[in-house]
Amino acid sequence: MRGFAVPAATLIGLAAVASAEAPTFTPTSIKASFLEQFTDDWSSRWSPSEATKKTPVGGETFSYVGEWSVEEPSEIIIKGDKGLVAKTKATHHAISAPFASSINPKGKPLVIQYEVKFQKGGNCGGGYMKLLEDGALDTKEFTDTTPWVIMFGPDMTCPGTKVHFIFRHQNPITGEFEEKHLTTPPKPTIGEDTKLYTLIVNPDNTYQVLVDDVEASSGSLLEDFTPSVNPDKEIDDPEDSKPVDWVDDEKIVDSEATKPADWDEDQPFQVLDEEAVKPEDWLEDEPSDIADPEAIKPEEWDNEEDGEWVAPTVKNPKCEEASGCGPWKRPMKANPLFKGKWTAPLIENPLYKGIWAPRKIANPGYFEDHNPATLRPIGAIGFEIWSMTEDILFDNIYIGHSAADAKALATETFHAKKAIEEEKKEELNKAAAAKAKEASGEETLLDMFDKLKENPVEYIREQILNFIEEVQVDGPVEAFKAKPQVGGAILAAFLTLLGSLAAIMGLVGSTAAPVSKSTKKTDAVTADAADTTKEPVATQPAATPAADSTVRQRR
């Protein structure tokens, strides 16, 4: 198994991004009915639920044991900027905060805005909030059944995502509450970056849903929700029933029709193609499958216990080059005489009366609410979610009446984060693209010279680290194949270093050896003679003529 190694280019990209100084969090001066930035006194407002409940089906008991924490995000964007984090996956989470005073939406815009950051990416689960009815909250017993007014925010439905906008509406006649769901909710892409969700409900019954401060949906509370706010004026009469003699079959079988005399039900669907001709390159003597020539009998195979070993078969490669192999057979073709089993045709039913429907009567439960935007007073906020994703972060919650103030808060917080996140993402993408380009061999000499010119030391270091990484992961041979220039340069530098060391060692060693001088036209002086005399040694005179010689020459 290969070891895991982070590419050097990616590390360098991360280092470059990290080197940028992050701004420091400063609490906003914007005011609202409820504004939460999870400053150090957050625990005086928020309380995790301690409720235990049973599910409607099966009676399963579970508790809201998901851990909550207020902390900085795992990737710090703004120093000191903390958020509320649902820490545990595959667990029920519930936490709530009561308002200092209730919010009455009557006659005013209701603006809800907050940030959600799925730090570990999206998976099944929710990131939505609930605005709870005034007086309905018991913080320790907060559950999914606690009465709420609006439910708003992202939900991952596996697969897909959507932004919930649901409000509970009370029937003025029966007093019962019914959930009204936005029929076509926005479906944004949810990644690991910070997302901003904004809902504006206006007194004229219009609404806006914004994602990342951009409108994603808008319309009317009276027209865009299911079931509709106002019921139908008429309903089906529950006591009406279809008459016994009512005929609602539009077509009937023609009882007078007869099968044509030339209708042959025995004709097959397909017949042999008598006009087909065997292809010239058809190999009748070649089998379509042959024994695998590369198969080897396993060493542990025992003929007595396992039976005679037979090599597995593979497709005959000769057949792939020809039209086919083996005995040739005529192909089948559609039978022009085939008609299938005869059945009588259908004709118009003379007794047909149409599709029956019960008669309409006045709806005894009919009412007309002209102003559903007048929602019930709101007394608290809560997050009650179940998710397969941990570390979901919530921050910068605004609940009030001013869309302008909410937008100003988004400018101070969300847009500042988004700019930094996009810059970091761009740097990482550049590093990844450079790594991919280099790995694919697409990096040109011009690219290399540009990098070398820009920062020669860092570029050389990066190339060496990448090569060492390749050696560690794939071995030296594959590393040299992938990066021959770098490997060759390292090898050349190594050989040059060895040559330099060898030259230095040779120069040092030569000081201990005697320097021999040429003895041409002279007699050599021995080492012993050089050591035992201090006087210069005279060279032997040149040879005298033959007459002076004491040696007689033979005549």
Side-chain angles (χ1 to χ4, degrees):
M1 179 181 293
R2 292 183 176 182
F4 175 79
V6 178
T10 301
L11 291 175
I12 292 168
L14 287 170
V17 172
S19 64
E21 187 68 20
T24 302
F25 169 74
T26 302
T28 184
S29 60
I30 296 172
K31 304 299 181 182
S33 300
F34 181 83
L35 198 152
E36 181 64 81
Q37 292 188 295
F38 298 99
T39 48
D40 293 340
D41 58 343
W42 72 275
S43 59
S44 64
R45 296 180 293 277
W46 293 84
S47 300
S49 175
E50 299 176 2
T52 298
K53 59 169 290 182
K54 291 185 177 182
T55 57
V57 179
E60 178 187 1
T61 301
F62 67 87
S63 300
Y64 291 96
V65 295
E67 178 188 355
W68 292 97
S69 174
V70 169
E71 59 189 43
E72 290 182 307
S74 55
E75 182 182 2
I76 297 176
I77 306 298
I78 298 175
K79 290 182 179 179
D81 183 21
K82 298 179 180 180
L84 177 67
V85 181
K87 299 289 293 180
T88 322
K89 69 177 182 180
T91 310
H92 295 273
H93 290 75
I95 193 169
S96 61
F99 297 160
S101 59
S102 64
I103 299 175
N104 189 348
K106 184 176 181 179
K108 304 175 186 177
L110 177 63
V111 183
I112 305 166
Q113 180 174 280
Y114 71 117
E115 297 172 4
V116 184
K117 183 179 177 70
F118 287 84
Q119 300 184 88
K120 299 294 178 65
N123 206 330
C124 299
Y128 43 82
M129 68 159 62
K130 293 180 178 179
L131 298 186
L132 309 176
E133 280 190 16
D134 186 30
L137 176 64
D138 178 352
T139 56
K140 298 298 183 183
E141 294 297 322
F142 172 44
T143 69
D144 60 335
T145 60
T146 301
W148 49 271
V149 179
I150 286 179
M151 178 173 145
F152 172 67
D155 190 13
M156 298 190 183
T157 53
C158 296
T161 62
K162 62 182 176 182
V163 179
H164 284 299
F165 173 22
I166 310 169
F167 67 94
R168 293 174 75 239
H169 182 265
Q170 187 176 26
N171 186 314
I173 297 177
T174 65
E176 296 179 354
F177 285 88
E178 188 175 45
E179 294 181 5
K180 309 297 182 181
H181 293 244
L182 183 59
T183 305
T184 309
K187 298 182 179 181
T189 300
I190 298 177
E192 298 179 10
D193 293 340
T194 303
K195 302 287 287 184
L196 181 72
Y197 300 94
T198 309
L199 170 64
I200 303 172
V201 180
N202 296 304
D204 63 356
N205 301 316
T206 60
Y207 71 89
Q208 281 181 289
V209 176
L210 296 88
V211 178
D212 293 347
D213 209 17
V214 177
E215 183 179 294
S217 178
S218 63
S220 169
L221 299 180
L222 293 168
E223 299 172 1
D224 300 340
F225 286 77
T226 303
S228 62
V229 171
N230 296 316
D232 296 328
K233 291 184 178 181
E234 292 184 328
I235 61 173
D236 293 339
D237 184 355
E239 297 181 0
D240 190 17
S241 60
K242 185 171 70 171
V244 178
D245 60 348
W246 189 277
V247 178
D248 50 12
D249 294 326
E250 185 177 0
K251 301 279 187 179
I252 59 174
V253 175
D254 185 359
S255 58
E256 298 180 0
T258 57
K259 184 173 71 173
D262 60 347
W263 192 286
D264 187 354
E265 293 184 348
D266 297 328
Q267 285 288 339
F269 177 68
Q270 289 183 322
V271 294
L272 288 174
D273 185 357
E274 299 295 340
E275 298 179 356
V277 179
K278 182 178 73 173
E280 294 182 359
D281 63 342
W282 191 277
L283 306 176
E284 285 197 278
D285 297 331
E286 288 288 343
S288 58
D289 296 303
I290 60 172
D292 186 355
E294 298 181 358
I296 300 175
K297 178 181 177 181
E299 294 182 1
E300 66 274 11
W301 190 277
D302 188 330
N303 286 345
E304 294 183 359
E305 294 184 2
D306 304 323
E308 184 179 355
W309 181 79
V310 179
T313 59
V314 295
K315 295 293 183 182
N316 189 342
K318 294 181 180 180
C319 300
E320 297 179 359
E321 301 174 358
S323 298
C325 292
W328 181 80
K329 297 180 181 179
R330 295 184 183 280
M332 303 294 287
K333 69 174 185 178
N335 184 1
L337 302 178
F338 173 77
K339 293 185 178 181
K341 186 175 181 60
W342 181 85
T343 56
L346 297 176
I347 59 173
E348 297 291 336
N349 186 354
L351 302 178
Y352 175 66
K353 293 184 177 182
I355 302 298
W356 182 87
R359 62 176 173 266
K360 295 290 185 179
I361 61 172
N363 184 358
Y366 175 75
F367 63 87
E368 194 168 4
D369 185 350
H370 296 287
N371 196 18
T374 303
L375 300 165
R376 294 176 68 81
I378 303 166
I381 179 178
F383 292 99
E384 189 270 320
I385 59 175
W386 181 89
S387 178
M388 287 300 295
T389 299
E390 70 270 32
D391 291 341
I392 305 173
L393 185 145
F394 305 93
D395 198 6
N396 294 312
I397 303 172
Y398 175 98
I399 301 172
H401 303 291
S402 174
D405 285 349
K407 191 171 187 66
L409 179 64
T411 301
E412 290 182 13
T413 56
F414 168 72
H415 288 292
K417 292 179 184 179
K418 184 178 181 181
I420 298 172
E421 287 178 339
E422 289 182 349
E423 181 181 352
K424 288 189 174 186
K425 187 183 295 185
E426 183 178 355
E427 291 293 335
L428 291 175
N429 288 341
K430 285 182 179 179
K435 175 66 178 177
K437 188 174 184 180
E438 181 183 346
S440 64
E442 294 179 1
E443 188 175 35
T444 65
L445 287 175
L446 185 60
D447 293 332
M448 297 172 66
F449 282 128
D450 286 342
K451 291 182 180 179
L452 189 60
K453 182 179 179 181
E454 181 179 349
N455 192 336
V457 175
E458 187 62 33
Y459 179 71
I460 293 172
R461 175 178 173 274
E462 177 186 344
Q463 295 297 317
I464 293 174
L465 287 176
N466 285 343
F467 183 79
I468 293 173
E469 177 194 325
E470 292 280 353
V471 172
Q472 292 175 339
V473 176
D474 298 326
V477 175
E478 294 298 324
F480 268 90
K481 288 181 179 180
K483 303 182 187 301
Q485 301 94 336
V486 179
I490 294 175
L491 181 60
F494 180 70
L495 293 176
T496 301
L497 178 62
L498 287 181
S500 300
L501 290 174
I504 293 172
M505 294 299 295
L507 187 61
V508 172
S510 65
T511 59
V515 179
S516 59
K517 296 183 180 180
S518 173
T519 56
K520 186 177 181 180
K521 296 184 180 180
T522 62
D523 291 334
V525 180
T526 64
D528 293 340
D531 293 337
T532 56
T533 179
K534 294 182 180 179
E535 297 180 358
V537 180
T539 58
Q540 189 175 349
T544 58
D548 297 333
S549 175
T550 58
V551 180
R552 291 185 179 183
Q553 295 182 354
R554 183 177 298 176
R555 294 182 178 271

